[in-house]
């Protein structure tokens, strides 16, 4: 048990040193790389390791007769979480989410330190000592708090109320609800029931299982499946349509949406927000193909009211592409990202 | 002997007569139902030329249009008479208050039924008496609330009639027979409730007690049917059926009632009402606990709070699954409605909802950990609580991560796009399913620890049982998290289906682990008694927090469900042409919900106060409810 705790304590100490380096800027945030596609699990795994590490540190210190006060354990753990969120995770997390995470962490720490009477008494003891102020030092501290706390609260209030020159926060609806149907080149498409006419098997019938089996592998690299190369001269049916969609994509779309469909094209950073990243699981992977068909056809100008503030400069591609070309581009986007369009069956 | 048999016979006859009388309103209103079917014949008699056919917008069946089309309203005093105030907000307030009280008075009799039944079947006489007194206390609270529900219902109808006459005229035209049955069943509900309450003392012994218990079953059946009927109206407004595109009634009242969302709404509301009712009663007990001056009172209200919390949480656990089913049906009914709810305009409200759900589970767990403190021998679990906190909070953080992030343009630029590579993954359904299942499984684990807090298993296979239990929970966590990750690599329709094995895993933990734990704890060695009343005051604040979160969340979900119709009174059938056919800002909605919550709690405090007046008048009766040496409650242990 002691050996296990020692290992945990070493991990905890190493973690603290690394994070401290990141906070002061000596150690770059990507020293221990966050790997694309695995980041979400990696972050939770790292936090778990830290908790194990801190448990080990606490255990070892107690074993050496240096009991770390519960009050400071709580305060420092909260500070650790805030610093981790701010300096470890990149790209930076917007303040609104960090505020949510910070509040939850604070509640969690309260639940931990007050889970039983003994712990709660230990935790609040330093606070009670200051309030009771039985020694000169504590009395001084109490007066200091009496002065500092109102100033701090006043400062926060002033800061939140003072008019700021920065742009206001936008609560942008990323996926506005689509209409029930859309009219493109004179034909009406019902979004709930329409299908991509090129998602077909070799017999020319709509077949999502067939096309799903031919999309690229997800994860790092996004590798093509064996015998599923759209750029093979002999490719027929679905793969041929993917190739045609790819050609249209690279002629028209990649300037903004990028070679890898990750929203980082040549012109991407001229826009705010930058174009949609199709490789993110929160975009096309969540939507029906008909939704993409509608958005591509109508562009930013065709966004509904709830798409406020209509922050999209995508052209209405129905003015430049045929219906067939739009369907083929949509087909290519799903193939390239390895995602499957949403269906309801 | 003959006299007893005669009394039994008389009781059965009286019960049958009462059931018959209670069903009479339905029988009386049946002709109204039939009228729907007769009407076409009447139309036919007038001449074939007048018969117009229509196609059901949902069932796609053909029928003869016998109703008037939905009115095309215009903004003005005829269709939208008003005060110098937003009519929608007035209606919102009236509706929400009626729903709060309605939910409470539907849930509490179900608790009474369960607790009274526990009292009847418990062999321990002292315990049976305590259960009986508790059930009586519950129904006493709900009696005043029942009157308020009726009053608020009246206010709601008058608000509809005076501010939205065209819409209410259309709705009542479609639901004419249903509304009549509803009103008559309300009479039946009142009659049963009063007999049930006032007959408590008269029917407290032997066979008559069973008759009394049967009446609680009847009371709850009527109450549930009432709620189903009211649900059919909101189901129709969201997903209309039984009418054609113009909104003309096609003669089949069952189609109008049985819309696409009726059943999911029914299930969700039953569970929600029960959880809410449990929360309110637990808050009542917490308030009484905090105000108690004697150890006896503290012991009684501690126990009452525990029972109410346990009943509420028993229904809270399946609630997210019922909600998931409802959302699935919403998506299946109209994709754009689903996207508006969960990915579009109302998505941020869902993040707030997730936050509230998390608060409910965190409060429950916190209460259970605090409750370990009143058991001697439960100290062995205390040092592991921090790990449960960590697991719970990881699940919670994933569960509340928004898909659409609030950020400044500068933050958006720094992030390099609308999606964050870490948070973006937490923001979608696959991760959230994992998050909530982790939270629920951890809550189950807390319950298991609580149930065995002061006991040591004496069965010969206890070591094996403990190892099995540990492995079972470990595998459950692995399975839930693995499926959440796997969900990113498969088609969306399969991913939606993954929720089934995740839910099955969580429910397996609930049923198998509870059963196994009960078997292991049979004849277990007691390390010490449960010292009712010796619990921290923080636990009682957790109960109050639980109830407040329930109330707030109900208000929020009601608002979300209603506002998803956007600018429709009846979705795609009758357009809302009032000046208020827009969606409120998140901030306004949150303030309005908070006001409704505050009003409800202030008014229910009045109800509690009225209840305490009754208590003062009958001190002898009240004394019977106070536990003596605080025996252990069944169910909890």
């Amino acid at each position: 048990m002691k050996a296990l705790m020692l290992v945990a304590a070493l991990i905890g100490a190493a973690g603290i040193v690394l994070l401290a380096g990141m906070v002061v800027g000596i150690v770059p945030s990507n020293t221990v790389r966050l790997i694309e596609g695995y980041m979400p699990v990696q972050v939770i795994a790292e936090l778990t390791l830290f908790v194990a590490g801190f448990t080990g540190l606490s255990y070892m210190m107690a074993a050496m007769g240096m009991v770390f006060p519960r009050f400071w354990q709580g305060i420092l753990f909260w500070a650790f979480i805030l610093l981790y969120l701010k300096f470890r995770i990149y790209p930076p997390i917007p303040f609104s989410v960090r505020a949510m995470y910070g509040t939850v962490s604070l509640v969690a720490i309260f639940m931990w330190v007050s889970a039983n009477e003994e712990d709660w008494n230990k935790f609040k003891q330093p606070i009670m000592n200051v309030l009771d102020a039985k020694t000169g030092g504590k009395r001084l501290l109490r007066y200091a708090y009496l002065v500092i706390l109102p100033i701090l609260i006043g400062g926060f209030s002033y800061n939140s109320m003072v008019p700021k020159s920065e742009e206001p926060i936008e609560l942008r609806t990323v996926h506005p609800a689509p209409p029930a149907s859309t009219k493109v080149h004179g034909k009406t498409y019902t979004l709930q029931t329409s299908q991509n006419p090129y998602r077909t098997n070799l017999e020319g019938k709509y077949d999502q299982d067939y096309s799903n089996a031919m999309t690229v592998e997800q994860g790092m690299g996004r590798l093509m499946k064996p015998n599923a190369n759209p750029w093979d001269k002999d490719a027929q049916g679905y793969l041929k349509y993917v190739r045609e969609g790819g050609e249209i994509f690279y002629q028209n779309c990649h300037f903004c949406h990028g070679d890898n469909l990750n929203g980082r094209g040549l012109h991407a950073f001229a826009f705010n927000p930058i174009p949609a990243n199709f490789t993110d699981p929160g975009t096309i992977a969540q939507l029906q193909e008909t939704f993409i068909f509608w958005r591509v056809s109508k562009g930013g100008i065709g966004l509904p009211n709830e798409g406020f503030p209509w922050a999209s400069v995508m052209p209405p591609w129905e003015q430049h592409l045929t219906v067939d070309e739009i369907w083929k581009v949509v087909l290519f986007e799903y193939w390239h990202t390895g995602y499957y369009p949403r269906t309801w069956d | 002997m003959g006299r007893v048999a005669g009394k039994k016979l008389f009781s059965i006859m009286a019960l049958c007569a009462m059931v018959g009388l209670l069903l009479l309103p339905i029988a009386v209103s049946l002709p109204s139902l039939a009228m729907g079917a007769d009407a076409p014949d009447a139309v036919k008699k007038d001449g074939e030329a007048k018969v117009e056919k229509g196609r059901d917008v949902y069932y796609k069946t053909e029928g003869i249009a016998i109703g008037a089309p939905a009115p095309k309203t215009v903004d003005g005093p005829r269709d939208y008479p008003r005060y110098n105030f937003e009519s929608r907000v007035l209606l919102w307030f009236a509706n929400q208050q009626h729903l709060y009280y309605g939910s409470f008075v539907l849930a509490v009799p179900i608790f009474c039924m369960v607790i009274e039944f526990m009292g009847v079947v418990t062999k321990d006489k002292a315990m049976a008496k305590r259960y009986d007194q508790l059930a009586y206390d519950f129904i006493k609270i709900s009696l005043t609330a029942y009157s308020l529900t009726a009053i608020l219902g009246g206010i709601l109808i008058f608000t509809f009639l005076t501010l939205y006459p065209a819409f209410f005229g259309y709705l009542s035209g479609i639901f004419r027979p249903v509304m009549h049955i509803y009103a008559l069943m309300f009479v039946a509900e009142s009659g049963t409730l009063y007999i049930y309450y006032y007959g408590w003392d008269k029917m407290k012994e032997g066979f008559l007690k069973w008759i009394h218990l049967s009446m609680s079953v009847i009371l709850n059946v009527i109450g549930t049917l009432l709620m189903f009927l009211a649900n059919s109206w909101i189901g129709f407004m969201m997903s209309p059926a039984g009418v054609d595109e113009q909104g003309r009634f096609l003669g089949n009242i069952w189609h109008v009632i049985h819309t696409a969302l009726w059943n999911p709404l029914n299930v969700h509301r039953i569970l929600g009402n029960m959880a809410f009712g449990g929360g309110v009663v637990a808050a009542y007990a917490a308030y009484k606990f905090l105000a108690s001056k004697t150890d006896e009172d503290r012991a009684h209200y501690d126990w009452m709070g525990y029972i109410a919390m346990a009943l509420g949480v028993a229904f809270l656990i399946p609630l997210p699954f019922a909600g998931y089913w409802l959302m699935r049906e919403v998506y299946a009914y109209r994709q754009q409605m689903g996207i508006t709810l969960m990915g579009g305009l109302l998505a941020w409200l869902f993040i707030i909802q997730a936050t509230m759900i998390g608060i409910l589970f965190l409060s429950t767990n916190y209460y259970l950990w605090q409750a370990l403190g009143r058991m001697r021998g439960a100290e062995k679990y205390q040092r592991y609580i921090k790990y449960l906190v960590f697991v719970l909070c990881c699940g919670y953080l994933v569960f509340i991560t928004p898909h659409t992030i609030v950020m400044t343009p500068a933050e958006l630029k720094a992030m390099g796009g609308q999606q964050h590579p870490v948070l973006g993954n937490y923001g979608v359904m696959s991760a959230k399913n994992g998050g909530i299942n982790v939270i629920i499984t951890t809550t189950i684990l807390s319950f298991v620890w609580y149930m065995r807090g002061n006991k040591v298993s004496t069965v010969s296979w206890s070591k094996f049982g403990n190892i099995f239990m540990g492995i079972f929970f470990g595998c459950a966590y692995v399975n839930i998290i693995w499926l959440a990750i796997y969900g990113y690599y498969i088609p969306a329709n399969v991913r939606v289906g993954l929720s089934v094995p995740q839910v099955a895993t969580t429910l397996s933990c609930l049923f198998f682990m509870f059963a196994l734990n009960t078997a292991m704890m049979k004849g277990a060695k007691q390390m010490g008694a449960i010292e009712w009343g010796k619990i921290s005051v923080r636990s009682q604040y957790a109960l109050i927090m639980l109830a407040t979160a329930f109330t707030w969340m109900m208000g929020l979900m009601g608002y979300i469900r209603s506002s998803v119709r956007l600018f429709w009174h009846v979705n795609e059938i009758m357009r809302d042409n009032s000046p208020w056919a827009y969606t409120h800002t998140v901030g306004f909605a949150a303030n309005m919900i908070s006001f409704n919550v505050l009003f409800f709690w202030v008014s229910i405090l009045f109800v509690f106060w009225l209840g305490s007046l009754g208590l003062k008048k009958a001190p002898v009766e009240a004394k019977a409810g106070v536990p003596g040496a605080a025996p252990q409650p069944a169910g909890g242990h």
Side-chain angles (χ1 to χ4, degrees):
Chain A
M1 184 66 182
K2 208 165 182 178
L4 201 66
M5 285 295 175
L6 185 64
V7 174
L10 287 172
I11 292 171
I16 289 171
V17 170
L18 269 175
L19 189 67
M22 287 174 193
V23 172
V24 295
I26 307 167
V27 181
S29 290
N30 59 358
T31 305
V32 180
R33 276 192 61 210
L34 285 172
I35 306 157
E36 193 178 349
Y38 297 87
M39 284 180 186
V41 176
Q42 198 180 343
V43 165
I44 293 178
E46 270 187 23
L47 282 174
T48 310
L49 266 180
F50 270 116
V51 167
F54 295 155
T55 309
L57 269 178
S58 172
Y59 179 89
M60 292 309 294
M61 284 175 75
M64 289 186 285
M66 297 184 291
V67 177
F68 199 53
R70 183 53 52 94
F71 178 78
W72 289 111
Q73 283 184 16
I75 299 287
L76 290 177
F77 187 67
W78 191 50
F80 158 77
I81 294 285
L82 297 183
L83 293 173
Y84 181 88
L85 293 172
K86 173 108 175 122
F87 293 98
R88 167 65 179 136
I89 299 177
Y90 58 90
I93 303 177
F95 175 76
S96 66
V97 182
R98 270 191 293 125
M100 285 166 68
Y101 286 1
T103 310
V104 171
S105 312
L106 189 63
V107 171
I109 288 164
F110 169 76
M111 287 168 73
W112 161 43
V113 297
S114 67
N116 58 62
E117 278 312 300
E118 196 189 335
D119 278 357
W120 180 234
N121 287 334
K122 272 191 214 165
F123 178 81
K124 65 182 184 184
Q125 195 56 51
I127 303 170
M128 300 311 288
N129 288 346
V130 172
L131 289 174
D132 288 344
K134 284 181 180 160
T135 62
K138 293 281 189 295
R139 204 168 299 133
L140 194 67
L141 207 54
R142 192 172 67 172
Y143 284 123
Y145 281 130
L146 193 67
V147 176
I148 292 167
L149 280 178
I151 292 173
L152 274 178
I153 293 166
F156 280 125
S157 306
Y158 174 78
N159 202 34
S160 63
M161 298 301 285
V162 71
K164 293 183 180 68
S165 56
E166 62 193 41
E167 294 172 82
I169 282 173
E170 281 176 11
L171 190 54
R172 186 169 177 256
T173 302
V174 182
H175 301 314
S181 61
T182 184
K183 201 171 185 179
V184 181
H185 287 294
K187 194 180 167 192
T188 302
Y189 296 86
T190 305
L191 267 64
Q192 188 107 348
T193 52
S194 294
Q195 292 173 331
N196 190 332
Y198 296 102
R199 193 171 286 283
T200 53
N201 57 22
L202 288 174
E203 284 132 36
K205 285 185 186 160
Y206 182 86
D207 190 344
Q208 197 171 121
D209 292 335
Y210 175 80
S211 61
N212 285 351
M214 295 210 183
T215 56
V216 299
E217 296 275 1
Q218 279 187 59
M220 280 189 292
R222 296 188 188 268
L223 300 172
M224 277 193 293
K225 298 253 174 73
N227 305 320
N229 179 2
W231 278 268
D232 186 334
K233 279 184 290 182
D234 301 326
Q236 287 302 312
Y238 167 75
L239 287 174
K240 179 168 155 276
Y241 302 136
V242 167
R243 183 176 68 221
E244 289 168 7
E247 285 164 3
I248 299 159
F249 182 89
Y250 287 109
Q251 283 162 11
N252 299 281
C253 317
H254 95 285
F255 303 106
C256 299
H257 288 286
D259 294 8
N260 287 320
L261 285 70
N262 58 1
R264 281 154 173 74
L266 192 64
H267 303 313
F269 292 98
F271 306 122
N272 186 17
I274 66 165
N277 171 6
F278 300 141
T279 62
D280 187 280
T283 58
I284 62 171
Q286 298 294 318
L287 301 164
Q288 253 186 300
E289 260 184 313
T290 48
F291 186 104
I292 318 298
F293 175 77
W294 163 65
R295 288 289 289 114
V296 173
S297 306
K298 302 297 173 187
I301 206 164
L303 278 168
N305 282 348
E306 70 171 278
F308 176 87
W310 305 288
S312 167
V313 291
M314 191 163 85
W317 284 101
E318 63 179 341
Q319 293 174 10
H320 307 280
L321 300 175
T322 64
V323 167
D324 289 340
E325 285 171 332
I326 297 172
W327 279 124
K328 283 175 184 172
V329 165
V330 175
L331 199 70
F332 169 75
E333 286 170 2
Y334 279 102
W335 175 83
H336 193 284
T337 53
Y339 291 133
Y340 312 105
R342 172 162 286 216
T343 52
W344 301 106
D345 52 9
Chain B
M1 191 70 186
R3 203 178 154 191
V4 173
K7 215 172 176 181
K8 275 189 182 178
L9 191 67
F10 178 73
S11 305
I12 293 170
M13 281 170 65
L15 186 68
C16 290
M18 205 183 79
V19 172
L21 281 171
L22 292 175
L23 289 173
L24 200 61
I26 299 174
V28 169
S29 57
L30 277 178
S32 317
L33 261 175
M35 262 181 77
D38 290 345
D41 295 335
V43 175
K44 272 180 196 168
K45 278 174 199 165
D46 289 347
E48 288 295 320
K50 285 185 182 173
V51 173
E52 272 192 73
K53 285 194 169 181
R55 194 175 164 82
D56 193 317
V57 286
Y58 177 67
Y59 285 102
K60 307 295 177 199
T61 51
E62 292 240 324
I64 296 167
I66 58 166
K72 292 189 183 345
T73 55
V74 285
D75 182 23
R78 188 175 59 93
D79 292 334
Y80 299 105
R82 71 198 67 158
Y83 306 105
N84 272 338
F85 198 75
E86 187 180 331
S87 300
R88 184 173 48 160
V89 169
L90 292 175
L91 194 65
W92 185 352
F93 173 73
N95 216 334
Q96 190 61 65
Q97 294 305 321
H98 176 61
L99 277 170
Y100 279 144
Y101 277 95
S103 304
F104 182 63
V105 297
L106 286 177
V108 172
I110 300 178
F111 291 163
C112 284
M113 182 179 73
V114 174
I115 296 168
E116 195 184 359
F117 177 74
M118 280 158 71
V120 169
V121 296
T122 301
K123 285 171 190 160
D124 180 345
K125 282 200 171 170
M127 206 62 222
K129 204 169 180 183
R130 284 185 67 195
Y131 278 127
D132 199 62
Q133 183 61 38
L134 187 64
Y136 184 73
D137 284 351
F138 274 23
I139 205 76
K140 197 161 55 184
I141 296 167
S142 80
L143 208 66
T144 319
Y146 188 77
S147 310
L148 265 173
T149 311
I151 294 166
L152 287 164
I155 291 173
L156 176 62
I157 287 182
F158 287 129
T159 313
F160 263 123
L161 285 171
T162 50
L163 301 180
Y164 287 88
F167 164 66
F168 195 71
Y170 172 66
L171 200 68
S172 53
I174 300 271
F175 281 97
R176 182 168 40 87
V178 180
M179 284 183 175
H180 266 122
I181 293 174
Y182 183 85
L184 291 169
M185 285 188 76
F186 209 87
V187 176
E189 168 92 351
S190 307
T192 318
L193 179 66
Y194 288 125
I195 297 169
Y196 180 66
Y197 175 70
Y198 290 110
W200 202 288
D201 280 342
K202 295 269 179 204
M203 294 191 265
K204 65 181 175 189
E205 297 291 342
F207 184 71
L208 281 174
K209 188 67 187 167
W210 282 101
I211 295 286
H212 189 255
L213 191 58
S214 313
M215 280 173 58
S216 73
V217 177
I218 296 167
L219 180 67
N220 286 309
V221 168
I222 298 172
T224 309
L225 285 173
L226 266 172
M227 191 191 66
F228 284 0
L229 292 182
N231 289 349
S232 69
W233 309 332
I234 56 165
F236 178 79
M237 286 166 71
M238 284 178 82
S239 55
V243 292
D244 66 4
E245 279 185 342
Q246 295 174 49
R248 295 179 302 183
F249 178 48
L250 299 177
N252 189 333
I253 195 71
W254 177 241
H255 280 185
V256 173
I257 296 171
H258 187 226
T259 54
L261 303 178
W262 188 52
N263 276 330
L265 275 170
N266 286 339
V267 172
H268 195 252
R269 274 197 159 172
I270 285 183
L271 295 173
N273 287 352
M274 296 294 289
F276 170 72
V280 174
V281 176
Y284 167 76
Y287 159 73
K288 296 292 279 183
F289 177 96
L290 293 170
S292 292
K293 292 193 170 56
T294 64
D295 286 347
E296 276 190 338
D297 280 355
R298 261 190 289 275
H300 176 68
Y301 289 114
D302 182 12
W303 180 65
M304 186 180 183
Y306 168 73
I307 296 281
M309 184 278 310
L311 284 169
V313 172
F315 293 94
L316 171 67
I317 287 175
L319 196 54
F321 308 134
Y324 190 83
W325 179 42
L326 174 60
M327 277 304 113
R328 205 185 142 132
E329 293 303 313
V330 167
Y331 264 99
Y333 171 69
R334 284 289 182 278
Q335 182 188 202
Q336 62 263 52
M337 201 181 250
I339 292 179
T340 300
L341 281 168
M342 304 206 70
L345 192 66
L346 303 172
W348 248 92
L349 296 172
F350 263 87
I351 290 300
I352 302 173
Q353 181 232 10
T355 310
M356 301 310 288
I357 292 174
I359 290 173
L360 291 178
F361 281 103
L362 290 188
S363 306
T364 305
N365 278 280
Y366 188 71
Y367 175 81
L368 289 170
W369 303 333
Q370 293 297 313
L372 285 173
R374 67 181 166 215
M375 294 179 198
R376 299 287 75 81
E379 296 79 11
K380 58 183 179 285
Y381 294 109
Q382 299 281 8
R383 63 195 171 122
Y384 299 111
I385 284 174
K386 55 179 171 283
Y387 304 113
L388 291 195
V389 175
F390 179 70
V391 174
L392 261 181
C393 286
C394 283
Y396 187 34
L397 288 176
V398 170
F399 193 54
I400 63 169
T401 302
H403 184 218
T404 304
I405 298 174
V406 176
M407 53 190 156
T408 62
E411 285 177 323
L412 181 68
K413 257 183 204 162
M415 212 170 85
Q418 196 80 43
Q419 274 78 31
H420 192 282
V422 178
L423 307 185
N425 289 275
Y426 296 153
V428 295
M429 211 55 200
S430 195
K432 293 197 184 303
N433 278 347
I436 187 63
N437 278 289
V438 162
I439 292 172
I440 298 175
T441 304
T442 310
T443 308
I444 294 166
L445 187 57
S446 288
F447 256 110
V448 169
W449 283 6
Y450 178 79
M451 287 163 74
R452 49 167 55 200
N454 61 337
K455 292 173 183 169
V456 175
S457 175
T458 50
V459 292
S460 57
W461 47 275
S462 69
K463 196 175 177 183
F464 170 79
N466 283 333
I467 293 170
F468 180 80
M469 209 177 246
I471 291 174
F472 198 95
F473 270 108
C475 290
Y477 280 119
V478 169
N479 194 37
I480 289 166
I481 295 166
W482 156 245
L483 288 174
I485 298 168
Y486 181 60
Y488 290 94
Y489 296 91
I490 50 173
N493 57 335
V494 186
R495 179 167 62 233
V496 171
L498 277 189
S499 60
V500 176
Q502 280 179 321
V503 170
T505 307
T506 307
L507 293 182
S508 301
C509 282
L510 179 67
F511 294 119
F512 294 147
M513 293 301 100
F514 270 28
L516 180 64
N517 193 56
T518 309
M520 281 176 73
M521 292 302 136
K522 212 168 185 182
K525 188 176 143 198
Q526 294 265 353
M527 301 299 287
I530 301 177
E531 295 166 345
W532 291 103
K534 290 189 177 168
I535 190 168
S536 71
V537 290
R538 296 188 303 285
S539 67
Q540 304 304 305
Y541 289 117
L543 289 183
I544 293 170
M545 171 68 117
L546 190 75
T548 313
F550 267 131
T551 323
W552 212 93
M553 200 168 77
M554 255 181 84
L556 176 76
M557 295 316 291
Y559 168 68
I560 294 175
R561 188 198 47 69
S562 189
S563 57
V564 74
R565 285 181 283 111
L566 301 174
F567 45 82
W568 297 100
H569 286 310
V570 177
N571 193 36
E572 296 168 10
I573 296 287
M574 185 180 175
R575 203 181 163 106
D576 180 356
N577 287 314
S578 72
W580 310 293
Y582 62 90
T583 306
H584 278 299
T585 59
V586 175
F588 182 89
N591 284 337
M592 187 63 202
I593 294 161
S594 300
F595 174 74
N596 272 326
V597 169
L598 193 67
F599 189 89
F600 171 73
W601 279 103
V602 170
S603 60
I604 206 148
L605 273 176
F606 172 70
V607 172
F608 292 164
W609 176 73
L610 282 179
S612 71
L613 282 184
L615 208 69
K616 278 171 197 163
K617 278 179 188 167
V620 181
E621 186 190 318
K623 198 90 179 166
V626 177
Q632 298 183 18
H637 290 269

